Amino acid sequence: MSNLSEMFGSKVFNDRKMQERLPKATYKALKNTIQNGEPIDAETANVVANAMKDWAVEMGCTHYTHWFQPMTGVTAEKHDSFITPHGEGEVIAEFSGSELIKGEPDASSFPSGGIRATFEARGYTTWDPTSPAFVRDTTLYIPTAFCSYTGEILDKKTPLLRSMERLSEAAVKILHLLGKTDVTRVFTTVGPEQEYFLIDKEMYDRREDLKLTGRTLFGAKAPKGQELDDHYFGSIKTRVAAYMRDLDEELWKLGVYSKTKHNEVAPSQHELAPIFCTSNIAADHNELTMEIMKKTAEKHNLVCLLHEKPFAGVNGSGKHNNWSMSTNTGENLLNPGKKPEDNLQFLLFLAAVVKAVHEYQDLLRITVASAGNDHRLGANEAPPAIISMYLGDDLGALVDSIIEGREYVSHDKTKMDMGAAVLADFKKDNSDRNRTSPFAFTGNKFEFRALGSSLNIACPNYMLNTMAAEELSGFYEELKDADNIEEAVKGLVKRVLTEHKDIIFNGDNYSDEWVKEAERRGLYNLKSLPEAFAHFLDKKNVELFTKNKICTEAEMTARYEIELETYSKQLKIEALTMLQMAKKDIIPSVSTYIKTLTDAVLAKKALSVNIPSDAEQEIIVSLSEKLSKFAKEASTLQSAVDSAAGESSLELALYYRNTVFEEMQELRRVGDSMEEETAKTYWPYPSYSDMLFGV
Ligand code: ADP
Ligand code: MG
């Protein structure tokens, strides 16, 4: 298929296909559900299911699956065929409304954080009509939410959908107060920029650590890393370009608005950014994008690494979550317009975000916490673990003038003169980009930059939506009875910005001074997942989620348990993988190499002429010492893992972080220094140079 517009969405049961294939009344009812959140009735579901099935069968499908996002970090699917017995030995393809609406996967093997132990093992998946169904291979995929038999949520989509509702309700009320009575719904919009690494499949297969943990646990630095800055936006290699082309086509067929692709900072690192859409679809599309990235790599004999820190010493991968709010009348609520100083609506929404980020900075940190992402935050390549926000020069100056009660003098956007007649002059971006800030205003949206590359973006987005909904509801309560709404809004904006200005920081987030300054301001600096999650169940956070009906306290506790358990398990797997690599590969290899050198020395000695063998002897001595240290470190790590214990899942996670993780670093240090001295043919694994420059 060469025609782009024909290809785009060809595998999606999208609006155009619904319109073509559904009776008018059914189409209208479904649209009402999608746009206004109205519940769907059984009759409509039946008609939709049948049309969907007919289309899917025409596309070559034999199966359908309820596609859902349990708490595991990957999506799940269970395939059922459409066949229904029909007469003697005959079958027909059938798909009913109830099969579309509800699935009953056995939930017992999905993490539930203890919720399910007391209930039935059964779980339900329910159709999410707001995210379109699509076809992959011979299966019709139906995006669904996942809950336990008794209705506890067990997935990431449900809280996101709920948070979108809450935000819409709160924002619409505010807009009505401000006179925008034509607005009936507000959507949150998201555009996630996705980073990834591509390495050769053959090298990947020889790395036990990449296969089992997604990151290299050993590996001496390559002589060349990213210091020359020659990879970022560099010309794309033929093999990578072919991969990207394939990936784009696959994504376009699935209706994903893949837009931008370029090389990233580290060698072998790349980025893909889609055009933004509503949060729910953006989250589903991002999950799909990550899956298709991995699948497409296989076809090109490559492996796509989505781990946050696959290689030490070069940048890891993250995700920038561009987030805003838009009305059903098409207005972006974070657009400052030409004169933001007079745009009370914008200032009110801005104040809500500032207050939200300040009050729930711990939740924002928690939502991006993972064993992988802990390697990045605070490592001068990603924003620090301290959450703050950046408003840019112009908006920053406006906020200052509001706080100080001064008049704001807007200076025109600086015109940049490129100094060459052939280059058109362009206006400097209003929001100069401070790349070190975790939460930056970028013109008409906020960019939350602390996400790890493998994270499901549903989580940070339901946090953001819920926080913003909470603040907007509070504002509404305060403003609803005001005699002079304009004065009341002005007063509120000034007060809120003054109270919460400590969250705003426009300087270098990587500097040591900021760490001290942030401490002085009383901002959190939660360095690792366990330290961050220790705050998840703080009273204010439980209140936020329960009051806004995003989840219950029991569901929050379940999430807390799952995250901490997963963290400990991941670190344990990493430690055991290191030990296996050490014992089965590294120690024998180095020992063999030492023996070879020793043999060479002995052979030389056996000759009657005196041939110097100091080169070999030096290596023999040095490597033998290191090998002995390495074996000791390995047994220290082994005992650290063996004695892992904790009174609670939090304590266990902290033990893994403070003891096991530290021992792993020690073992690696000695291992990497042996790699530097061992002949390439003897070292059991592909080197950093091979992997990073091998595609
Ligand atoms: P970069 O940050 O790399 O310079 P851009 O500024 O071009 O990139 O945009 C990054 C992402 O922000 C894109 O995915 C884009 O679609 C998204 N984006 C733009 N406007 C909005 C919006 N109103 N809401 C959410 N995302 C948006
Ligand atoms: Mg960006």
Side-chain angles (χ1 to χ4, degrees):
M1 241 182 283
S2 56
N3 186 326
L4 182 58
S5 56
E6 224 174 88
M7 178 181 0
F8 190 85
S10 56
K11 291 188 174 178
V12 186
F13 194 66
N14 57 16
D15 191 65
R16 190 169 50 78
K17 289 181 196 105
M18 290 180 204
Q19 219 164 345
E20 280 168 12
R21 288 169 178 265
L22 295 174
K24 268 211 172 65
T26 313
Y27 174 74
K28 256 182 82 180
L30 183 59
K31 278 303 262 196
N32 199 24
T33 299
I34 295 169
Q35 285 172 344
N36 305 319
E38 296 296 328
I40 204 147
D41 63 273
E43 180 48 30
T44 308
N46 265 326
V47 180
V48 175
N50 199 47
M52 233 184 222
K53 180 254 321 172
D54 286 345
W55 169 74
V57 169
E58 283 168 37
M59 295 287 293
C61 288
T62 51
H63 287 70
Y64 70 92
T65 179
H66 276 199
W67 185 62
F68 58 105
Q69 298 166 25
M71 304 296 295
T72 50
V74 286
T75 57
E77 45 195 77
K78 169 182 160 233
H79 298 228
D80 281 299
S81 77
F82 287 126
I83 62 166
T84 308
H86 187 74
E88 258 330 278
E90 306 278 319
V91 294
I92 51 163
E94 258 185 1
F95 187 45
S96 68
S98 58
E99 285 169 308
L100 168 63
I101 289 181
K102 197 174 81 181
E104 292 188 29
D106 179 359
S108 56
S109 296
F110 291 107
S112 75
I115 279 189
R116 221 187 15 253
T118 49
F119 299 105
E120 263 198 68
R122 218 173 341 154
Y124 285 134
T125 49
T126 39
W127 177 36
D128 167 17
T130 63
S131 183
F134 55 91
V135 162
R136 278 181 70 187
D137 300 324
T138 53
T139 302
L140 171 69
Y141 280 68
I142 298 152
T144 55
F146 180 46
C147 66
S148 75
Y149 180 66
T150 40
E152 279 86 6
I153 47 177
L154 296 174
D155 74 342
K156 299 173 180 173
K157 182 189 266 283
T158 313
L160 179 62
L161 289 171
R162 289 181 183 171
S163 74
M164 290 168 71
E165 286 293 321
R166 293 308 105 74
L167 184 118
S168 179
E169 288 155 12
V172 167
K173 277 192 193 168
I174 290 267
L175 289 167
H176 285 189
L177 268 188
L178 298 175
K180 294 247 164 92
T181 45
D182 53 337
V183 174
T184 54
R185 216 167 158 79
V186 168
F187 298 94
T188 46
T189 51
V190 173
E193 302 163 53
Q194 176 73 47
E195 291 180 341
Y196 60 99
F197 278 88
L198 280 181
I199 67 163
D200 195 272
K201 171 88 166 54
E202 189 259 334
M203 290 183 201
Y204 172 89
D205 285 339
R206 287 162 52 206
R207 298 276 328 196
E208 201 66 9
D209 44 7
L210 283 179
K211 284 194 286 184
L212 296 184
T213 71
R215 75 179 181 104
T216 52
L217 300 169
F218 289 104
K221 287 198 178 64
K224 178 177 167 13
Q226 61 194 43
E227 51 284 280
L228 296 179
D229 290 324
D230 53 352
H231 191 256
Y232 191 55
F233 279 50
S235 100
I236 298 169
K237 286 184 188 156
T238 321
R239 195 168 164 202
V240 175
Y243 165 81
M244 287 179 167
R245 198 161 42 243
D246 241 18
L247 175 62
D248 270 344
E249 288 197 4
E250 241 356 271
L251 292 174
W252 288 336
K253 286 181 198 162
L254 290 165
V256 178
Y257 301 105
S258 171
K259 171 80 175 164
T260 313
K261 49 188 181 187
H262 61 76
N263 286 350
E264 257 300 328
V265 171
S268 279
Q269 193 186 29
H270 313 281
E271 182 183 292
L272 179 151
I275 298 171
F276 70 95
C277 56
T278 53
S279 318
N280 179 34
I281 296 182
D284 283 0
H285 278 181
N286 185 246
E287 287 299 296
L288 204 49
T289 299
M290 291 193 284
E291 282 179 40
I292 305 283
M293 279 179 158
K294 289 194 198 147
K295 279 257 154 42
T296 308
E298 283 170 21
K299 279 200 269 174
H300 291 258
N301 217 16
L302 296 165
V303 175
C304 172
L305 304 176
L306 289 170
H307 192 283
E308 283 74 15
K309 194 72 184 176
F311 304 102
V314 296
N315 275 9
S317 299
K319 200 136 52 183
H320 287 178
N321 190 84
N322 295 274
W323 173 88
S324 190
M325 298 165 267
S326 268
T327 65
N328 62 319
T329 52
E331 187 182 3
N332 178 354
L333 296 169
L334 290 177
N335 187 356
K338 286 213 170 62
K339 297 194 103 193
E341 61 275 29
D342 298 333
N343 187 345
L344 287 183
Q345 178 188 303
F346 167 73
L347 290 175
L348 195 57
F349 280 90
L350 174 72
V353 180
V354 171
K355 184 166 188 271
V357 174
H358 194 205
E359 287 180 341
Y360 300 107
Q361 34 167 315
D362 49 343
L363 283 181
L364 286 177
R365 171 63 186 91
I366 287 165
T367 194
V368 298
S370 68
N373 210 24
D374 282 355
H375 295 283
R376 295 175 65 241
L377 301 178
N380 283 6
E381 56 165 70
I386 306 164
I387 301 290
S388 69
M389 59 203 296
Y390 169 78
L391 297 179
D393 293 343
D394 288 357
L395 194 54
L398 171 59
V399 166
D400 286 345
S401 71
I402 293 173
I403 293 173
E404 289 156 22
R406 282 185 285 109
E407 201 191 331
Y408 172 70
V409 212
S410 86
H411 40 89
D412 267 343
K413 283 187 193 172
T414 327
K415 207 170 174 206
M416 300 248 296
D417 184 358
M418 296 299 282
V422 289
L423 297 174
D425 287 352
F426 65 93
K427 302 268 170 108
K428 202 173 151 205
D429 198 320
N430 221 331
S431 52
D432 177 34
R433 287 139 191 249
N434 180 338
R435 287 280 161 191
T436 68
S437 175
F439 203 90
F441 184 72
T442 47
N444 58 5
K445 58 183 159 54
F446 276 99
E447 189 169 336
F448 185 22
R449 301 202 181 110
L451 284 70
S453 46
S454 66
L455 188 70
N456 183 324
I457 63 165
C459 303
N461 283 294
Y462 76 69
M463 298 274 182
L464 278 170
N465 298 347
T466 309
M467 288 156 45
E470 170 69 15
E471 306 301 2
L472 290 169
S473 309
F475 288 4
Y476 173 78
E477 288 306 317
E478 185 174 336
L479 296 170
K480 68 177 199 279
D481 300 319
D483 297 327
N484 182 336
I485 184 77
E486 208 179 299
E487 285 310 311
V489 170
K490 277 185 189 160
L492 184 150
V493 166
K494 179 171 176 175
R495 194 197 71 233
V496 167
L497 291 178
T498 309
E499 282 172 9
H500 298 283
K501 65 175 190 298
D502 273 351
I503 196 69
I504 300 170
F505 178 63
N506 289 336
D508 179 2
N509 282 258
Y510 294 173
S511 68
D512 295 335
E513 292 79 66
W514 171 231
V515 177
K516 291 188 207 109
E517 167 67 11
E519 193 180 342
R520 201 189 53 74
R521 293 190 190 184
L523 301 180
Y524 286 111
N525 184 2
L526 306 168
K527 294 200 182 79
S528 65
L529 181 141
E531 286 162 87
F533 263 89
H535 290 278
F536 187 55
L537 297 174
D538 284 359
K539 193 160 166 276
K540 73 171 175 62
N541 296 338
V542 173
E543 270 170 20
L544 175 74
F545 286 112
T546 50
K547 192 181 139 207
N548 286 284
K549 301 197 169 54
I550 304 298
C551 47
T552 62
E553 187 165 357
E555 288 164 343
M556 280 183 82
T557 309
R559 257 147 233 260
Y560 167 89
E561 293 293 337
I562 291 170
E563 292 289 344
L564 288 167
E565 274 170 25
T566 305
Y567 177 87
S568 296
K569 282 182 197 161
Q570 280 173 342
L571 261 64
K572 182 173 184 184
I573 292 170
E574 287 188 352
L576 294 179
T577 304
M578 278 188 105
L579 287 167
Q580 182 170 313
M581 290 169 81
K583 290 178 197 162
K584 298 213 158 148
D585 299 331
I586 298 177
I587 294 176
S589 301
V590 174
S591 172
T592 310
Y593 181 50
I594 293 173
K595 178 171 185 300
T596 309
L597 292 174
T598 313
D599 287 348
V601 173
L602 291 176
K604 282 182 192 175
K605 285 212 174 114
L607 295 172
S608 44
V609 272
N610 194 15
I611 313 167
S613 49
D614 44 337
E616 289 94 340
Q617 272 172 15
E618 241 175 67
I619 304 174
I620 292 168
V621 172
S622 167
L623 269 182
S624 302
E625 278 168 8
K626 285 177 185 171
L627 191 59
S628 141
K629 183 149 197 296
F630 187 71
K632 281 201 197 84
E633 293 291 359
S635 70
T636 314
L637 177 59
Q638 183 75 62
S639 8
V641 176
D642 290 344
S643 49
E647 293 274 294
S648 64
S649 49
L650 177 62
E651 267 185 34
L652 184 63
L654 282 167
Y655 174 83
Y656 270 101
R657 166 75 200 181
N658 297 329
T659 307
V660 176
F661 183 70
E662 292 304 320
E663 291 301 342
M664 284 164 59
Q665 313 268 74
E666 292 301 318
L667 180 63
R668 174 171 186 157
R669 205 163 305 137
V670 188
D672 290 357
S673 100
M674 290 201 300
E675 181 182 350
E676 281 165 2
E677 277 188 65
T678 304
K680 196 174 166 67
T681 42
Y682 286 79
W683 193 255
Y685 309 113
S687 69
Y688 265 37
S689 298
D690 294 338
M691 288 184 284
L692 288 169
F693 298 95
V695 173

